[in-house]
Amino acid sequence: MTWFIFILGAMIAGFVQGLTGFAFALIAMSFWVWVLPPQLAAPLVVFASLWSHLIALGREQKHDFSFSLVLPYLIAGLIGVPLGTYLLHLVDGNSFKIILGLFLMLWCPIMLFAPEFPRIQALGKIADSCIGFVGGVLGGLGGFCGAAPSAWVMLKNLPKAQQRYILRHFNFAIQLFTLLVYLYQGAIQRLHLPYFALIIIAVSIPAMMGAQMFYKISEIQFKRIVLSLLFASGCFLLFTTLI
């Protein structure tokens, strides 16, 4: 049963990651938390998310986006990761999950019915950097690096292709950095190797399917999917804190 739940969670999370460019950790952990200890699951989430990114990037259609679009988020996010890792030992984990969970549960319905914020949409790269920094800190604290940037690009009302471009490259860089930290700290052991092999098999096809599905949905459908995932993330954080 453990392997079945692990593979099912990986397949569903891979599809969602391919579609949206984020949320692997949210989806996978909602399954894996019942069968895997956090010390084992955390490196697996990072590795699987990175693999999903690589698979989906190979299926992307050509675009004219400049890397400068994601650079402010990326630089600030990488700076924020070590701070988040440091704060992890100072901040109460349950309190952090409750605050973030409540924010997502309240914010997502507001965004669904009131999407236009002209002043926020006009803000530039300094604001983007601040959000990237927050995302990096949240990534170091609990692996939620996509929460703040996904909310921000939605507030700015960017086209879905730009949203996924920013989220995919930002999350990829933050998670790659996190994986390197795990390797440096010795957190990845032989016990992880069979899971890594299963991840490569289980995630690849769903991630490709999600990447292809992205081009078949409308802007409003994409927005509803992202907001639903963020709302579910908030519910999941509260649920795992209270049980």
PDB file of all heavy atoms in Angstrom, residues 10-47:
ATOM      1  N   ALA A  10       2.842  10.698  -6.822  1.00  0.00           N
ATOM      2  CA  ALA A  10       3.841  11.202  -7.762  1.00  0.00           C
ATOM      3  C   ALA A  10       3.233  11.459  -9.131  1.00  0.00           C
ATOM      4  O   ALA A  10       3.542  12.471  -9.781  1.00  0.00           O
ATOM      5  CB  ALA A  10       4.995  10.203  -7.875  1.00  0.00           C
ATOM      6  N   MET A  11       2.360  10.569  -9.599  1.00  0.00           N
ATOM      7  CA  MET A  11       1.757  10.720 -10.925  1.00  0.00           C
ATOM      8  C   MET A  11       0.844  11.936 -10.992  1.00  0.00           C
ATOM      9  O   MET A  11       0.910  12.735 -11.929  1.00  0.00           O
ATOM     10  CB  MET A  11       0.986   9.452 -11.295  1.00  0.00           C
ATOM     11  CG  MET A  11       1.863   8.231 -11.513  1.00  0.00           C
ATOM     12  SD  MET A  11       0.915   6.721 -11.852  1.00  0.00           S
ATOM     13  CE  MET A  11       0.192   7.151 -13.445  1.00  0.00           C
ATOM     14  N   ILE A  12      -0.001  12.095  -9.986  1.00  0.00           N
ATOM     15  CA  ILE A  12      -0.935  13.227  -9.974  1.00  0.00           C
ATOM     16  C   ILE A  12      -0.172  14.546  -9.840  1.00  0.00           C
ATOM     17  O   ILE A  12      -0.446  15.522 -10.539  1.00  0.00           O
ATOM     18  CB  ILE A  12      -1.964  13.075  -8.836  1.00  0.00           C
ATOM     19  CG1 ILE A  12      -2.833  11.835  -9.085  1.00  0.00           C
ATOM     20  CG2 ILE A  12      -2.834  14.323  -8.721  1.00  0.00           C
ATOM     21  CD1 ILE A  12      -3.790  11.522  -7.957  1.00  0.00           C
ATOM     22  N   ALA A  13       0.814  14.567  -8.945  1.00  0.00           N
ATOM     23  CA  ALA A  13       1.603  15.783  -8.744  1.00  0.00           C
ATOM     24  C   ALA A  13       2.412  16.123  -9.992  1.00  0.00           C
ATOM     25  O   ALA A  13       2.568  17.298 -10.339  1.00  0.00           O
ATOM     26  CB  ALA A  13       2.533  15.611  -7.542  1.00  0.00           C
ATOM     27  N   GLY A  14       2.920  15.111 -10.685  1.00  0.00           N
ATOM     28  CA  GLY A  14       3.658  15.361 -11.921  1.00  0.00           C
ATOM     29  C   GLY A  14       2.794  15.998 -12.989  1.00  0.00           C
ATOM     30  O   GLY A  14       3.235  16.913 -13.694  1.00  0.00           O
ATOM     31  N   PHE A  15       1.560  15.539 -13.098  1.00  0.00           N
ATOM     32  CA  PHE A  15       0.639  16.123 -14.078  1.00  0.00           C
ATOM     33  C   PHE A  15       0.357  17.587 -13.752  1.00  0.00           C
ATOM     34  O   PHE A  15       0.401  18.457 -14.639  1.00  0.00           O
ATOM     35  CB  PHE A  15      -0.669  15.335 -14.106  1.00  0.00           C
ATOM     36  CG  PHE A  15      -1.710  15.915 -15.015  1.00  0.00           C
ATOM     37  CD1 PHE A  15      -1.683  15.642 -16.378  1.00  0.00           C
ATOM     38  CD2 PHE A  15      -2.711  16.737 -14.523  1.00  0.00           C
ATOM     39  CE1 PHE A  15      -2.639  16.178 -17.228  1.00  0.00           C
ATOM     40  CE2 PHE A  15      -3.662  17.281 -15.359  1.00  0.00           C
ATOM     41  CZ  PHE A  15      -3.625  16.995 -16.718  1.00  0.00           C
ATOM     42  N   VAL A  16       0.075  17.865 -12.494  1.00  0.00           N
ATOM     43  CA  VAL A  16      -0.230  19.240 -12.075  1.00  0.00           C
ATOM     44  C   VAL A  16       0.982  20.147 -12.281  1.00  0.00           C
ATOM     45  O   VAL A  16       0.857  21.281 -12.749  1.00  0.00           O
ATOM     46  CB  VAL A  16      -0.689  19.267 -10.607  1.00  0.00           C
ATOM     47  CG1 VAL A  16      -0.836  20.705 -10.116  1.00  0.00           C
ATOM     48  CG2 VAL A  16      -2.001  18.523 -10.450  1.00  0.00           C
ATOM     49  N   GLN A  17       2.164  19.633 -11.950  1.00  0.00           N
ATOM     50  CA  GLN A  17       3.383  20.422 -12.145  1.00  0.00           C
ATOM     51  C   GLN A  17       3.599  20.749 -13.615  1.00  0.00           C
ATOM     52  O   GLN A  17       3.968  21.860 -13.982  1.00  0.00           O
ATOM     53  CB  GLN A  17       4.582  19.656 -11.604  1.00  0.00           C
ATOM     54  CG  GLN A  17       5.904  20.349 -11.781  1.00  0.00           C
ATOM     55  CD  GLN A  17       6.343  21.110 -10.555  1.00  0.00           C
ATOM     56  OE1 GLN A  17       5.598  21.231  -9.584  1.00  0.00           O
ATOM     57  NE2 GLN A  17       7.530  21.624 -10.576  1.00  0.00           N
ATOM     58  N   GLY A  18       3.374  19.769 -14.480  1.00  0.00           N
ATOM     59  CA  GLY A  18       3.519  20.006 -15.907  1.00  0.00           C
ATOM     60  C   GLY A  18       2.532  21.022 -16.425  1.00  0.00           C
ATOM     61  O   GLY A  18       2.845  21.810 -17.322  1.00  0.00           O
ATOM     62  N   LEU A  19       1.336  21.034 -15.842  1.00  0.00           N
ATOM     63  CA  LEU A  19       0.293  21.951 -16.284  1.00  0.00           C
ATOM     64  C   LEU A  19       0.525  23.375 -15.817  1.00  0.00           C
ATOM     65  O   LEU A  19       0.399  24.329 -16.589  1.00  0.00           O
ATOM     66  CB  LEU A  19      -1.071  21.455 -15.792  1.00  0.00           C
ATOM     67  CG  LEU A  19      -2.278  22.320 -16.111  1.00  0.00           C
ATOM     68  CD1 LEU A  19      -2.524  22.386 -17.615  1.00  0.00           C
ATOM     69  CD2 LEU A  19      -3.521  21.793 -15.395  1.00  0.00           C
ATOM     70  N   THR A  20       0.870  23.547 -14.543  1.00  0.00           N
ATOM     71  CA  THR A  20       0.910  24.877 -13.942  1.00  0.00           C
ATOM     72  C   THR A  20       2.304  25.431 -13.730  1.00  0.00           C
ATOM     73  O   THR A  20       2.474  26.643 -13.612  1.00  0.00           O
ATOM     74  CB  THR A  20       0.190  24.874 -12.578  1.00  0.00           C
ATOM     75  OG1 THR A  20       0.909  24.031 -11.670  1.00  0.00           O
ATOM     76  CG2 THR A  20      -1.239  24.365 -12.725  1.00  0.00           C
ATOM     77  N   GLY A  21       3.315  24.554 -13.622  1.00  0.00           N
ATOM     78  CA  GLY A  21       4.669  25.016 -13.340  1.00  0.00           C
ATOM     79  C   GLY A  21       4.998  25.080 -11.862  1.00  0.00           C
ATOM     80  O   GLY A  21       6.086  25.499 -11.488  1.00  0.00           O
ATOM     81  N   PHE A  22       4.064  24.661 -11.001  1.00  0.00           N
ATOM     82  CA  PHE A  22       4.341  24.637  -9.561  1.00  0.00           C
ATOM     83  C   PHE A  22       3.390  23.624  -8.909  1.00  0.00           C
ATOM     84  O   PHE A  22       2.661  22.917  -9.583  1.00  0.00           O
ATOM     85  CB  PHE A  22       4.176  26.027  -8.936  1.00  0.00           C
ATOM     86  CG  PHE A  22       2.748  26.405  -8.632  1.00  0.00           C
ATOM     87  CD1 PHE A  22       2.295  26.468  -7.326  1.00  0.00           C
ATOM     88  CD2 PHE A  22       1.859  26.700  -9.649  1.00  0.00           C
ATOM     89  CE1 PHE A  22       0.985  26.819  -7.036  1.00  0.00           C
ATOM     90  CE2 PHE A  22       0.548  27.063  -9.376  1.00  0.00           C
ATOM     91  CZ  PHE A  22       0.111  27.123  -8.064  1.00  0.00           C
ATOM     92  N   ALA A  23       3.425  23.530  -7.588  1.00  0.00           N
ATOM     93  CA  ALA A  23       2.470  22.772  -6.761  1.00  0.00           C
ATOM     94  C   ALA A  23       2.789  21.285  -6.641  1.00  0.00           C
ATOM     95  O   ALA A  23       1.967  20.544  -6.114  1.00  0.00           O
ATOM     96  CB  ALA A  23       1.033  22.958  -7.259  1.00  0.00           C
ATOM     97  N   PHE A  24       3.973  20.833  -7.078  1.00  0.00           N
ATOM     98  CA  PHE A  24       4.278  19.411  -6.895  1.00  0.00           C
ATOM     99  C   PHE A  24       4.277  19.046  -5.417  1.00  0.00           C
ATOM    100  O   PHE A  24       3.697  18.029  -5.026  1.00  0.00           O
ATOM    101  CB  PHE A  24       5.624  19.049  -7.526  1.00  0.00           C
ATOM    102  CG  PHE A  24       5.868  17.565  -7.547  1.00  0.00           C
ATOM    103  CD1 PHE A  24       5.619  16.835  -8.684  1.00  0.00           C
ATOM    104  CD2 PHE A  24       6.338  16.892  -6.413  1.00  0.00           C
ATOM    105  CE1 PHE A  24       5.817  15.455  -8.700  1.00  0.00           C
ATOM    106  CE2 PHE A  24       6.529  15.525  -6.418  1.00  0.00           C
ATOM    107  CZ  PHE A  24       6.276  14.803  -7.566  1.00  0.00           C
ATOM    108  N   ALA A  25       4.948  19.867  -4.602  1.00  0.00           N
ATOM    109  CA  ALA A  25       5.054  19.555  -3.174  1.00  0.00           C
ATOM    110  C   ALA A  25       3.677  19.477  -2.526  1.00  0.00           C
ATOM    111  O   ALA A  25       3.403  18.571  -1.729  1.00  0.00           O
ATOM    112  CB  ALA A  25       5.910  20.605  -2.467  1.00  0.00           C
ATOM    113  N   LEU A  26       2.807  20.404  -2.861  1.00  0.00           N
ATOM    114  CA  LEU A  26       1.457  20.418  -2.296  1.00  0.00           C
ATOM    115  C   LEU A  26       0.738  19.115  -2.600  1.00  0.00           C
ATOM    116  O   LEU A  26       0.199  18.466  -1.703  1.00  0.00           O
ATOM    117  CB  LEU A  26       0.673  21.596  -2.888  1.00  0.00           C
ATOM    118  CG  LEU A  26      -0.860  21.486  -2.875  1.00  0.00           C
ATOM    119  CD1 LEU A  26      -1.370  21.504  -1.452  1.00  0.00           C
ATOM    120  CD2 LEU A  26      -1.474  22.589  -3.700  1.00  0.00           C
ATOM    121  N   ILE A  27       0.700  18.724  -3.862  1.00  0.00           N
ATOM    122  CA  ILE A  27      -0.052  17.545  -4.265  1.00  0.00           C
ATOM    123  C   ILE A  27       0.596  16.272  -3.738  1.00  0.00           C
ATOM    124  O   ILE A  27      -0.069  15.409  -3.147  1.00  0.00           O
ATOM    125  CB  ILE A  27      -0.170  17.475  -5.802  1.00  0.00           C
ATOM    126  CG1 ILE A  27      -0.808  18.757  -6.345  1.00  0.00           C
ATOM    127  CG2 ILE A  27      -0.983  16.254  -6.214  1.00  0.00           C
ATOM    128  CD1 ILE A  27      -2.188  19.029  -5.840  1.00  0.00           C
ATOM    129  N   ALA A  28       1.899  16.152  -3.933  1.00  0.00           N
ATOM    130  CA  ALA A  28       2.577  14.919  -3.531  1.00  0.00           C
ATOM    131  C   ALA A  28       2.507  14.706  -2.020  1.00  0.00           C
ATOM    132  O   ALA A  28       2.221  13.594  -1.549  1.00  0.00           O
ATOM    133  CB  ALA A  28       4.034  14.955  -3.989  1.00  0.00           C
ATOM    134  N   MET A  29       2.740  15.761  -1.250  1.00  0.00           N
ATOM    135  CA  MET A  29       2.761  15.604   0.202  1.00  0.00           C
ATOM    136  C   MET A  29       1.389  15.280   0.776  1.00  0.00           C
ATOM    137  O   MET A  29       1.292  14.681   1.844  1.00  0.00           O
ATOM    138  CB  MET A  29       3.327  16.860   0.863  1.00  0.00           C
ATOM    139  CG  MET A  29       4.832  17.003   0.708  1.00  0.00           C
ATOM    140  SD  MET A  29       5.764  15.597   1.356  1.00  0.00           S
ATOM    141  CE  MET A  29       5.445  15.781   3.116  1.00  0.00           C
ATOM    142  N   SER A  30       0.321  15.662   0.071  1.00  0.00           N
ATOM    143  CA  SER A  30      -1.017  15.307   0.547  1.00  0.00           C
ATOM    144  C   SER A  30      -1.227  13.793   0.508  1.00  0.00           C
ATOM    145  O   SER A  30      -2.078  13.258   1.230  1.00  0.00           O
ATOM    146  CB  SER A  30      -2.085  16.003  -0.301  1.00  0.00           C
ATOM    147  OG  SER A  30      -2.057  15.540  -1.635  1.00  0.00           O
ATOM    148  N   PHE A  31      -0.425  13.093  -0.319  1.00  0.00           N
ATOM    149  CA  PHE A  31      -0.431  11.628  -0.335  1.00  0.00           C
ATOM    150  C   PHE A  31       0.677  11.066   0.552  1.00  0.00           C
ATOM    151  O   PHE A  31       0.450  10.178   1.373  1.00  0.00           O
ATOM    152  CB  PHE A  31      -0.229  11.115  -1.771  1.00  0.00           C
ATOM    153  CG  PHE A  31      -1.396  11.336  -2.688  1.00  0.00           C
ATOM    154  CD1 PHE A  31      -1.557  12.530  -3.364  1.00  0.00           C
ATOM    155  CD2 PHE A  31      -2.340  10.333  -2.879  1.00  0.00           C
ATOM    156  CE1 PHE A  31      -2.636  12.729  -4.222  1.00  0.00           C
ATOM    157  CE2 PHE A  31      -3.418  10.519  -3.730  1.00  0.00           C
ATOM    158  CZ  PHE A  31      -3.568  11.710  -4.403  1.00  0.00           C
ATOM    159  N   TRP A  32       1.891  11.589   0.358  1.00  0.00           N
ATOM    160  CA  TRP A  32       3.065  10.975   0.986  1.00  0.00           C
ATOM    161  C   TRP A  32       3.108  11.160   2.492  1.00  0.00           C
ATOM    162  O   TRP A  32       3.746  10.379   3.195  1.00  0.00           O
ATOM    163  CB  TRP A  32       4.338  11.551   0.362  1.00  0.00           C
ATOM    164  CG  TRP A  32       4.492  11.227  -1.093  1.00  0.00           C
ATOM    165  CD1 TRP A  32       3.685  10.433  -1.857  1.00  0.00           C
ATOM    166  CD2 TRP A  32       5.527  11.692  -1.968  1.00  0.00           C
ATOM    167  NE1 TRP A  32       4.144  10.375  -3.144  1.00  0.00           N
ATOM    168  CE2 TRP A  32       5.275  11.135  -3.256  1.00  0.00           C
ATOM    169  CE3 TRP A  32       6.639  12.523  -1.808  1.00  0.00           C
ATOM    170  CZ2 TRP A  32       6.090  11.386  -4.351  1.00  0.00           C
ATOM    171  CZ3 TRP A  32       7.453  12.773  -2.901  1.00  0.00           C
ATOM    172  CH2 TRP A  32       7.178  12.210  -4.157  1.00  0.00           C
ATOM    173  N   VAL A  33       2.432  12.199   3.001  1.00  0.00           N
ATOM    174  CA  VAL A  33       2.490  12.462   4.439  1.00  0.00           C
ATOM    175  C   VAL A  33       1.929  11.297   5.254  1.00  0.00           C
ATOM    176  O   VAL A  33       2.273  11.112   6.418  1.00  0.00           O
ATOM    177  CB  VAL A  33       1.726  13.768   4.776  1.00  0.00           C
ATOM    178  CG1 VAL A  33       0.224  13.583   4.615  1.00  0.00           C
ATOM    179  CG2 VAL A  33       2.054  14.241   6.198  1.00  0.00           C
ATOM    180  N   TRP A  34       1.088  10.469   4.612  1.00  0.00           N
ATOM    181  CA  TRP A  34       0.472   9.350   5.324  1.00  0.00           C
ATOM    182  C   TRP A  34       1.357   8.111   5.362  1.00  0.00           C
ATOM    183  O   TRP A  34       1.108   7.198   6.169  1.00  0.00           O
ATOM    184  CB  TRP A  34      -0.875   8.999   4.676  1.00  0.00           C
ATOM    185  CG  TRP A  34      -1.791  10.173   4.560  1.00  0.00           C
ATOM    186  CD1 TRP A  34      -2.168  10.835   3.436  1.00  0.00           C
ATOM    187  CD2 TRP A  34      -2.436  10.853   5.641  1.00  0.00           C
ATOM    188  NE1 TRP A  34      -3.004  11.882   3.733  1.00  0.00           N
ATOM    189  CE2 TRP A  34      -3.192  11.918   5.076  1.00  0.00           C
ATOM    190  CE3 TRP A  34      -2.468  10.677   7.031  1.00  0.00           C
ATOM    191  CZ2 TRP A  34      -3.951  12.786   5.855  1.00  0.00           C
ATOM    192  CZ3 TRP A  34      -3.227  11.541   7.805  1.00  0.00           C
ATOM    193  CH2 TRP A  34      -3.956  12.578   7.212  1.00  0.00           C
ATOM    194  N   VAL A  35       2.374   8.038   4.491  1.00  0.00           N
ATOM    195  CA  VAL A  35       3.161   6.804   4.396  1.00  0.00           C
ATOM    196  C   VAL A  35       4.665   7.017   4.533  1.00  0.00           C
ATOM    197  O   VAL A  35       5.409   6.047   4.653  1.00  0.00           O
ATOM    198  CB  VAL A  35       2.871   6.079   3.048  1.00  0.00           C
ATOM    199  CG1 VAL A  35       1.430   5.600   3.003  1.00  0.00           C
ATOM    200  CG2 VAL A  35       3.184   6.963   1.859  1.00  0.00           C
ATOM    201  N   LEU A  36       5.131   8.262   4.497  1.00  0.00           N
ATOM    202  CA  LEU A  36       6.570   8.524   4.559  1.00  0.00           C
ATOM    203  C   LEU A  36       6.877   9.529   5.667  1.00  0.00           C
ATOM    204  O   LEU A  36       6.141  10.503   5.849  1.00  0.00           O
ATOM    205  CB  LEU A  36       7.081   9.085   3.229  1.00  0.00           C
ATOM    206  CG  LEU A  36       6.964   8.194   1.984  1.00  0.00           C
ATOM    207  CD1 LEU A  36       7.460   8.963   0.759  1.00  0.00           C
ATOM    208  CD2 LEU A  36       7.733   6.909   2.162  1.00  0.00           C
ATOM    209  N   PRO A  37       7.973   9.331   6.398  1.00  0.00           N
ATOM    210  CA  PRO A  37       8.397  10.332   7.388  1.00  0.00           C
ATOM    211  C   PRO A  37       8.923  11.579   6.681  1.00  0.00           C
ATOM    212  O   PRO A  37       9.432  11.492   5.555  1.00  0.00           O
ATOM    213  CB  PRO A  37       9.500   9.625   8.165  1.00  0.00           C
ATOM    214  CG  PRO A  37      10.022   8.588   7.225  1.00  0.00           C
ATOM    215  CD  PRO A  37       8.851   8.142   6.395  1.00  0.00           C
ATOM    216  N   PRO A  38       8.819  12.760   7.307  1.00  0.00           N
ATOM    217  CA  PRO A  38       9.257  14.008   6.656  1.00  0.00           C
ATOM    218  C   PRO A  38      10.713  13.975   6.223  1.00  0.00           C
ATOM    219  O   PRO A  38      11.064  14.525   5.174  1.00  0.00           O
ATOM    220  CB  PRO A  38       9.029  15.068   7.751  1.00  0.00           C
ATOM    221  CG  PRO A  38       7.995  14.477   8.644  1.00  0.00           C
ATOM    222  CD  PRO A  38       8.230  12.993   8.625  1.00  0.00           C
ATOM    223  N   GLN A  39      11.578  13.338   7.008  1.00  0.00           N
ATOM    224  CA  GLN A  39      12.998  13.309   6.671  1.00  0.00           C
ATOM    225  C   GLN A  39      13.249  12.557   5.363  1.00  0.00           C
ATOM    226  O   GLN A  39      14.187  12.867   4.629  1.00  0.00           O
ATOM    227  CB  GLN A  39      13.802  12.650   7.807  1.00  0.00           C
ATOM    228  CG  GLN A  39      13.790  13.417   9.106  1.00  0.00           C
ATOM    229  CD  GLN A  39      12.519  13.188   9.921  1.00  0.00           C
ATOM    230  OE1 GLN A  39      11.660  12.395   9.541  1.00  0.00           O
ATOM    231  NE2 GLN A  39      12.402  13.891  11.025  1.00  0.00           N
ATOM    232  N   LEU A  40      12.424  11.576   5.078  1.00  0.00           N
ATOM    233  CA  LEU A  40      12.538  10.837   3.822  1.00  0.00           C
ATOM    234  C   LEU A  40      11.833  11.557   2.688  1.00  0.00           C
ATOM    235  O   LEU A  40      12.321  11.605   1.554  1.00  0.00           O
ATOM    236  CB  LEU A  40      11.944   9.433   3.990  1.00  0.00           C
ATOM    237  CG  LEU A  40      11.917   8.528   2.753  1.00  0.00           C
ATOM    238  CD1 LEU A  40      13.339   8.261   2.262  1.00  0.00           C
ATOM    239  CD2 LEU A  40      11.211   7.213   3.076  1.00  0.00           C
ATOM    240  N   ALA A  41      10.672  12.159   2.990  1.00  0.00           N
ATOM    241  CA  ALA A  41       9.839  12.758   1.949  1.00  0.00           C
ATOM    242  C   ALA A  41      10.418  14.049   1.386  1.00  0.00           C
ATOM    243  O   ALA A  41      10.293  14.311   0.186  1.00  0.00           O
ATOM    244  CB  ALA A  41       8.429  13.020   2.500  1.00  0.00           C
ATOM    245  N   ALA A  42      11.058  14.871   2.221  1.00  0.00           N
ATOM    246  CA  ALA A  42      11.506  16.199   1.768  1.00  0.00           C
ATOM    247  C   ALA A  42      12.461  16.134   0.579  1.00  0.00           C
ATOM    248  O   ALA A  42      12.231  16.796  -0.440  1.00  0.00           O
ATOM    249  CB  ALA A  42      12.138  16.958   2.937  1.00  0.00           C
ATOM    250  N   PRO A  43      13.544  15.352   0.626  1.00  0.00           N
ATOM    251  CA  PRO A  43      14.412  15.270  -0.557  1.00  0.00           C
ATOM    252  C   PRO A  43      13.695  14.676  -1.767  1.00  0.00           C
ATOM    253  O   PRO A  43      13.999  15.037  -2.914  1.00  0.00           O
ATOM    254  CB  PRO A  43      15.558  14.364  -0.097  1.00  0.00           C
ATOM    255  CG  PRO A  43      15.553  14.465   1.389  1.00  0.00           C
ATOM    256  CD  PRO A  43      14.112  14.601   1.764  1.00  0.00           C
ATOM    257  N   LEU A  44      12.758  13.757  -1.536  1.00  0.00           N
ATOM    258  CA  LEU A  44      12.022  13.152  -2.647  1.00  0.00           C
ATOM    259  C   LEU A  44      11.157  14.182  -3.356  1.00  0.00           C
ATOM    260  O   LEU A  44      11.058  14.183  -4.587  1.00  0.00           O
ATOM    261  CB  LEU A  44      11.143  12.004  -2.136  1.00  0.00           C
ATOM    262  CG  LEU A  44      11.879  10.804  -1.537  1.00  0.00           C
ATOM    263  CD1 LEU A  44      10.882   9.778  -1.015  1.00  0.00           C
ATOM    264  CD2 LEU A  44      12.811  10.174  -2.560  1.00  0.00           C
ATOM    265  N   VAL A  45      10.524  15.069  -2.593  1.00  0.00           N
ATOM    266  CA  VAL A  45       9.698  16.119  -3.181  1.00  0.00           C
ATOM    267  C   VAL A  45      10.536  17.034  -4.053  1.00  0.00           C
ATOM    268  O   VAL A  45      10.153  17.378  -5.183  1.00  0.00           O
ATOM    269  CB  VAL A  45       8.985  16.934  -2.076  1.00  0.00           C
ATOM    270  CG1 VAL A  45       8.421  18.225  -2.636  1.00  0.00           C
ATOM    271  CG2 VAL A  45       7.869  16.111  -1.454  1.00  0.00           C
ATOM    272  N   VAL A  46      11.683  17.434  -3.556  1.00  0.00           N
ATOM    273  CA  VAL A  46      12.549  18.334  -4.308  1.00  0.00           C
ATOM    274  C   VAL A  46      13.042  17.661  -5.593  1.00  0.00           C
ATOM    275  O   VAL A  46      12.995  18.251  -6.675  1.00  0.00           O
ATOM    276  CB  VAL A  46      13.746  18.790  -3.445  1.00  0.00           C
ATOM    277  CG1 VAL A  46      14.717  19.623  -4.270  1.00  0.00           C
ATOM    278  CG2 VAL A  46      13.253  19.594  -2.248  1.00  0.00           C
ATOM    279  N   PHE A  47      13.510  16.419  -5.481  1.00  0.00           N
ATOM    280  CA  PHE A  47      14.000  15.705  -6.659  1.00  0.00           C
ATOM    281  C   PHE A  47      12.891  15.509  -7.685  1.00  0.00           C
ATOM    282  O   PHE A  47      13.090  15.738  -8.887  1.00  0.00           O
ATOM    283  CB  PHE A  47      14.558  14.346  -6.242  1.00  0.00           C
ATOM    284  CG  PHE A  47      14.982  13.489  -7.411  1.00  0.00           C
ATOM    285  CD1 PHE A  47      16.211  13.686  -8.021  1.00  0.00           C
ATOM    286  CD2 PHE A  47      14.143  12.493  -7.902  1.00  0.00           C
ATOM    287  CE1 PHE A  47      16.593  12.907  -9.106  1.00  0.00           C
ATOM    288  CE2 PHE A  47      14.517  11.717  -8.984  1.00  0.00           C
ATOM    289  CZ  PHE A  47      15.751  11.915  -9.587  1.00  0.00           C
TER     290      PHE A  47
END
